[in-house]
Amino acid sequence: MIKFKIKNTIVFLILISLFFILLFIGYNKITGIILYLNIMLINIFLFTKAYRRKNSPLLIFFLFSLLYAYALRYPLIDELQISVYYYFNDLDHIYKTSLLFYLFLIFLNLFIKIPKNPNKILIKQKDNGLFFYVFLIISIIFMIRGKTGENIFSGGYGTGLSSANSLNEYFLIPFFISIIFSNNSKRKKILLYIIAFIYALKNILYGGRIEVMMIALCIFIWDFNIKLKPTTIILITLFSFYFFKIIGEIRQNPQLLFTSDWIYLFIPSFKTTNSTVVISQEADVLYATNRLVSMVDERIINTIDRFKAFFYFILSIILPYSYLPDIANLASYKRFDYNVGGGGLIFGWFYVYLSYIGVILIAFYISKILSKIGLNNEKGISFINIYAVFVFMTMPRWFAYSPITMFKLSLYGASICFLVIGLDNMIKKYISKKKTT
């Protein structure tokens, strides 16, 4: 154990020393290549460690992170422009953002513990038919009310002809509670799969990909975590990313499905016709992250703005964005002055809030939460374990688009689940006590 700690300390000191050296030297072709290779090496190391320990949830997380790390090759190695937007889309700014990604991974590697072959994550399923059907009905209502208007085949995506609200993603909460109270019943299991399929299909028709990823992770955590081998999970995950790229192509031009060129929808493009600009979801998210970091470094977001943003971020856990100033949502802040598609990797948001300390703190927080996935709690139901499950299920949203999901939807979901399970236990104890008297 002591040797292990010494080894980890030496590795950390080497990595953090390299970070400061690369930060001091600044960008050039050589430092860009070195930085990219180190980002990839840390991510691959964590991915390999999760694979060897047969920790499927963390395997998926590090594979997801690896996609964004790999996309850094376009600017740092190929010297291509990421995204069609040009503000801050230069190598000096992107190099700084890449350094923050590197810092995030260094501390994630330092703090995270990857349990070996963790147990089934979902809490032991319970028998309460009333709770099952009540929360299943609530999830159906959320699904129906969550997205309305025209779908992509009617020109609805990105045109204002369709609308979405928070109920669409909060669908996960009552749906997950229904899973808990399904009691491994085959009939209830079929019902859950039908609702999940309809939810996924509806979101696809409205151009949504993140929601489909989240319901897929929910199904995985419930029914496939132990059943599938790590190699199978990798293959399915890679195929899923390809599938979502196709969905992205279709939502941009759905009418192409009905032409002789439909085959091109299944060959997603990654560059524009002039071959100097990368077009991909990962590149767009990296650009959005770079925009946040660069707005701070260029003093467009000043120190007072950063404190305000962090304060309103905390308030947004309780209040909707519509009640708060624009700076509460950094993804859309000044988007008309400095164009962006939206989103941003989580370390970019926390760099805005708390500078380098913010990047380290969020790496620490994520590592501690994800390390809890699948661990048994001898005392019974653990709030932190339920919360870790929700954090895993909502990973595509908080990691690449909006960190508030980790502190809002996930916390709300874990709190409601914990209370409902406690209520179920109280009811059963009361009934049992009444029978004995």
Side-chain angles (χ1 to χ4, degrees):
M1 182 62 72
I2 295 175
K3 288 183 179 180
F4 179 76
K5 288 184 177 180
I6 293 173
K7 182 181 177 181
N8 277 1
T9 303
I10 293 172
V11 170
F12 168 73
L13 290 174
I14 292 172
L15 292 175
I16 200 67
S17 298
L18 182 59
F19 168 80
F20 283 113
I21 291 170
L22 292 173
L23 180 65
F24 177 77
I25 295 175
Y27 174 76
N28 59 54
K29 184 66 176 179
I30 301 299
T31 56
I33 292 172
I34 293 172
L35 176 58
Y36 174 74
L37 290 176
N38 275 275
I39 290 172
M40 288 295 293
L41 283 172
I42 296 178
N43 221 315
I44 291 170
F45 170 76
L46 290 167
F47 171 78
T48 305
K49 191 174 179 180
Y51 178 85
R52 292 177 62 185
R53 291 180 176 270
K54 298 181 180 179
N55 190 311
S56 301
L58 287 179
L59 182 69
I60 293 173
F61 172 71
F62 292 127
L63 183 57
F64 190 71
S65 171
L66 189 58
L67 289 176
Y68 295 98
Y70 177 79
L72 284 172
R73 66 159 293 175
Y74 299 126
L76 296 179
I77 304 297
D78 301 329
E79 297 187 348
L80 297 172
Q81 180 178 315
I82 52 171
S83 179
V84 295
Y85 305 115
Y86 54 87
Y87 292 103
F88 319 115
N89 211 339
D90 59 88
L91 288 170
D92 287 324
H93 283 107
I94 293 170
Y95 178 78
K96 171 62 179 294
T97 302
S98 303
L99 275 170
L100 294 177
F101 199 170
Y102 182 44
L103 183 68
F104 172 76
L105 290 172
I106 289 173
F107 280 92
L108 194 67
N109 178 56
L110 176 68
F111 295 130
I112 200 162
K113 294 179 181 178
I114 304 178
K116 187 175 181 180
N117 196 22
N119 297 304
K120 193 167 185 177
I121 294 168
L122 190 61
I123 297 170
K124 184 179 179 181
Q125 294 185 34
K126 295 175 169 290
D127 184 14
N128 190 321
L130 177 63
F131 280 13
F132 172 82
Y133 287 108
V134 166
F135 284 99
L136 192 65
I137 291 170
I138 293 172
S139 68
I140 292 171
I141 294 171
F142 281 20
M143 177 176 62
I144 294 170
R145 302 286 295 174
K147 282 190 177 182
T148 56
E150 304 289 341
N151 61 47
I152 59 173
F153 293 100
S154 302
Y157 182 74
T159 62
L161 298 176
S162 62
S163 62
N165 57 58
S166 58
L167 290 180
N168 190 54
E169 291 189 6
Y170 279 70
F171 161 90
L172 273 180
I173 298 174
F175 184 81
F176 185 75
I177 295 173
S178 289
I179 289 176
I180 292 174
F181 291 102
S182 62
N183 198 34
N184 288 317
S185 164
K186 289 184 179 179
R187 181 166 55 85
K188 291 175 181 176
K189 191 173 184 179
I190 291 170
L191 274 174
L192 288 166
Y193 267 103
I194 291 172
I195 299 302
F197 175 77
I198 295 172
Y199 175 79
L201 182 60
K202 180 181 179 181
N203 276 280
I204 288 172
L205 289 174
Y206 278 88
R209 292 185 293 182
I210 297 299
E211 301 91 340
V212 181
M213 288 184 187
M214 291 197 296
I215 192 62
L217 291 176
C218 179
I219 296 297
F220 168 80
I221 216 82
W222 162 43
D223 208 23
F224 292 99
N225 179 35
I226 289 182
K227 293 179 182 178
L228 299 179
K229 295 180 179 179
T231 304
T232 306
I233 291 171
I234 293 172
L235 293 174
I236 292 174
T237 305
L238 291 175
F239 175 79
S240 298
F241 289 136
Y242 168 70
F243 171 75
F244 289 120
K245 285 187 180 296
I246 292 173
I247 296 300
E249 296 288 325
I250 292 175
R251 73 179 183 180
Q252 295 297 332
N253 189 9
Q255 301 306 319
L256 198 60
L257 275 172
F258 308 105
T259 69
S260 58
D261 294 328
W262 63 270
I263 187 66
Y264 292 107
L265 289 172
F266 298 91
I267 311 174
S269 59
F270 291 87
K271 299 175 186 177
T272 57
T273 52
N274 63 12
S275 72
T276 61
V277 181
V278 176
I279 303 296
S280 75
Q281 184 269 344
E282 294 81 15
D284 281 344
V285 169
L286 285 172
Y287 171 77
T289 312
N290 180 60
R291 171 183 170 273
L292 292 178
V293 172
S294 301
M295 286 173 71
V296 169
D297 290 348
E298 296 298 331
R299 303 293 188 271
I300 296 167
I301 298 177
N302 59 37
T303 304
I304 294 175
D305 290 334
R306 296 169 80 175
F307 282 119
K308 285 181 179 179
F310 187 50
F311 173 72
Y312 288 123
F313 172 77
I314 295 171
L315 274 186
S316 66
I317 298 173
I318 303 169
L319 300 173
Y321 282 133
S322 57
Y323 286 83
L324 299 172
D326 292 343
I327 200 167
N329 185 3
L330 292 175
S332 58
Y333 184 63
K334 289 185 179 291
R335 69 183 304 169
F336 296 110
D337 297 322
Y338 306 95
N339 304 97
V340 68
L345 294 168
I346 193 167
F347 65 81
W349 290 68
F350 277 82
Y351 175 75
V352 175
Y353 297 143
L354 300 168
S355 192
Y356 294 99
I357 297 298
V359 177
I360 296 169
L361 286 176
I362 196 58
F364 173 80
Y365 185 83
I366 291 171
S367 66
K368 292 304 176 184
I369 296 301
L370 293 183
S371 296
K372 298 292 183 181
I373 295 180
L375 295 182
N376 280 331
N377 183 7
E378 296 177 359
K379 296 180 181 179
I381 297 167
S382 167
F383 173 84
I384 193 67
N385 285 13
I386 305 173
Y387 176 61
V389 171
F390 269 96
V391 168
F392 172 75
M393 291 191 298
T394 58
M395 174 187 63
R397 178 65 73 191
W398 59 256
F399 184 77
Y401 287 93
S402 178
I404 192 60
T405 306
M406 177 185 285
F407 300 96
K408 194 169 187 174
L409 191 158
S410 297
L411 272 176
Y412 285 8
S415 300
I416 294 169
C417 279
F418 192 73
L419 290 173
V420 172
I421 292 169
L423 178 61
D424 175 67
N425 290 337
M426 285 175 60
I427 292 171
K428 287 175 179 175
K429 284 181 181 178
Y430 175 78
I431 293 173
S432 177
K433 187 177 180 181
K434 199 170 183 180
K435 285 181 179 179
T436 55
T437 57

